[in-house]
């Protein structure tokens, strides 16, 4: 089983979007039983507030017919590094913050999601941009490329 953790700043916009998009992709390909997929944040404020998925993320997932379930923000823990095979961040700042929490990436598990594409880049945070459509399409591109990278 391949264990994948998507990570962003607050775990209410980008990382849960990636979690549910990737779940849909692997399910459609008949690979769901080969993956464990979750998401987390680099900061703990939303976890303390018991924050759920941002309404903009819920709206775009609904519009694109991506099934999702109740999800509450949680902060990445040092033990997640040992548990997950891949920790996929949304931007460079997330990568730095993840390493500050879990330590150095000695096993080469931490990547930006779009590092697997032909155009590696950060995924902009729709919390600030308001552009959930752009975030969605970047995440789809990254999830497709990541699955191709795994050769599945």
């Amino acid at each position: 089983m391949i264990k994948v953790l998507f990570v962003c700043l607050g775990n209410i916009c980008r990382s849960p979007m990636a979690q549910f998009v990737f779940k849909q992709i692997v399910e459609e390909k008949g690979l769901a039983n080969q993956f464990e997929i979750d998401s987390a944040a680099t900061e703990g404020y939303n976890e303390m507030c018991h924050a759920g998925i941002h309404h903009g993320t819920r709206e775009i997932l609904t519009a694109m017919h991506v099934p999702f379930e109740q999800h509450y923000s949680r902060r990445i823990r040092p033990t997640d590094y040992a548990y997950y095979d891949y920790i996929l961040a949304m931007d460079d700042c997330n990568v730095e913050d993840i390493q500050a929490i879990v330590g150095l990436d000695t096993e080469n598990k931490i990547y930006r999601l779009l590092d697997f594409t032909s155009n590696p880049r950060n995924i902009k945070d729709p919390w600030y941009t308001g552009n959930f459509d752009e975030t969605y399409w970047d995440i789809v591109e990254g999830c497709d490329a990541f699955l191709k990278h795994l050769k599945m």
Side-chain angles (χ1 to χ4, degrees):
M1 175 154 309
I2 300 170
K3 294 176 270 188
V4 181
L5 184 67
F6 294 98
V7 181
C8 68
L9 178 64
N11 192 217
I12 61 172
C13 295
R14 295 174 292 174
S15 59
M17 188 184 297
Q19 172 186 352
F20 294 115
V21 165
F22 194 61
K23 278 185 176 184
Q24 181 185 42
I25 290 170
V26 298
E27 186 159 315
E28 287 175 352
K29 293 190 178 295
L31 302 170
N33 63 343
Q34 296 180 41
F35 287 90
E36 181 177 332
I37 305 163
D38 201 359
S39 63
T42 59
E43 60 85 9
Y45 177 77
N46 288 328
E47 181 177 30
M48 290 187 303
C49 296
H50 201 60
I53 299 172
H54 188 279
H55 65 87
T57 295
R58 288 193 314 266
E59 289 169 8
I60 191 70
L61 291 175
T62 300
M64 302 310 285
H65 307 287
V66 176
F68 62 94
E69 59 211 30
Q70 189 76 343
H71 171 84
Y72 293 103
S73 176
R74 78 161 182 93
R75 189 168 192 238
I76 189 171
R77 298 176 291 273
T79 55
D80 287 330
Y81 187 81
Y83 186 77
Y84 287 94
D85 301 306
Y86 292 91
I87 300 174
L88 304 179
M90 301 298 122
D91 62 40
D92 291 324
C93 291
N94 299 153
V95 171
E96 291 171 13
D97 292 342
I98 291 165
Q99 289 179 335
I101 295 165
V102 304
L104 292 177
D105 185 17
T106 57
E107 297 178 43
N108 297 315
K109 295 180 174 191
I110 303 171
Y111 300 89
R112 292 178 307 172
L113 179 56
L114 291 177
D115 284 345
F116 299 97
T117 70
S118 60
N119 182 21
R121 62 195 183 279
N122 292 327
I123 297 175
K124 295 176 191 164
D125 191 340
W127 172 264
Y128 300 106
T129 67
N131 193 339
F132 286 84
D133 290 338
E134 178 184 24
T135 299
Y136 173 81
W137 290 112
D138 281 350
I139 284 171
V140 168
E141 178 185 357
C143 287
D144 284 339
F146 174 61
L147 191 59
K148 285 178 187 153
H149 167 80
L150 296 176
K151 296 177 175 52
M152 301 189 88

